[in-house]
Amino acid sequence: MTHTSKFTLAHARTGQAHRVKGLRAPSHAPEWIQWLEEIGFVDGEHVSVLARGLPGSDPLVIRIGQSTFALRKAEAECVELHDGMHAEQAA
């Protein structure tokens, strides 16, 4: 199995605005995709990391649309983001 590097919410800088590109769940928790969609993580939605827990940057405080949530780093890894160049073009 080859691993391709994806830009995910877990790796986004605090305070930077992004757009959701898509979702991918780990094999042990496929239900995370539906749950993330239900709380607003859909293609094109604005998202940003507001803060990170200490130590270890877990959990993350996330702003998606007009809602704020705390996500575990593992959940944030499921949210793929457009890179900066594509996010600016989509805005």
Side-chain angles (χ1 to χ4, degrees):
M1 181 170 133
T2 58
H3 175 70
T4 57
S5 179
K6 301 285 184 182
F7 180 47
T8 69
L9 189 56
H11 298 101
R13 284 186 171 174
T14 302
Q16 280 192 330
H18 296 281
R19 286 185 182 259
V20 174
K21 181 177 182 180
L23 301 173
R24 60 186 171 96
S27 59
H28 69 275
E31 68 278 6
W32 287 6
I33 289 179
Q34 181 179 351
W35 172 72
L36 288 165
E37 287 174 342
E38 287 173 355
I39 62 174
F41 289 89
V42 294
D43 186 36
E45 187 63 64
H46 293 271
V47 63
S48 62
V49 177
L50 300 180
R52 296 174 183 274
L54 293 175
S57 299
D58 204 8
L60 292 79
V61 179
I62 307 296
R63 179 78 157 180
I64 181 80
Q66 298 299 311
S67 300
T68 304
F69 296 96
L71 293 183
R72 294 174 295 193
K73 197 170 184 179
E75 296 161 342
E77 282 284 356
C78 298
V79 182
E80 294 180 13
L81 303 176
H82 290 284
D83 63 32
M85 182 177 68
H86 292 114
E88 289 176 16
Q89 291 174 352

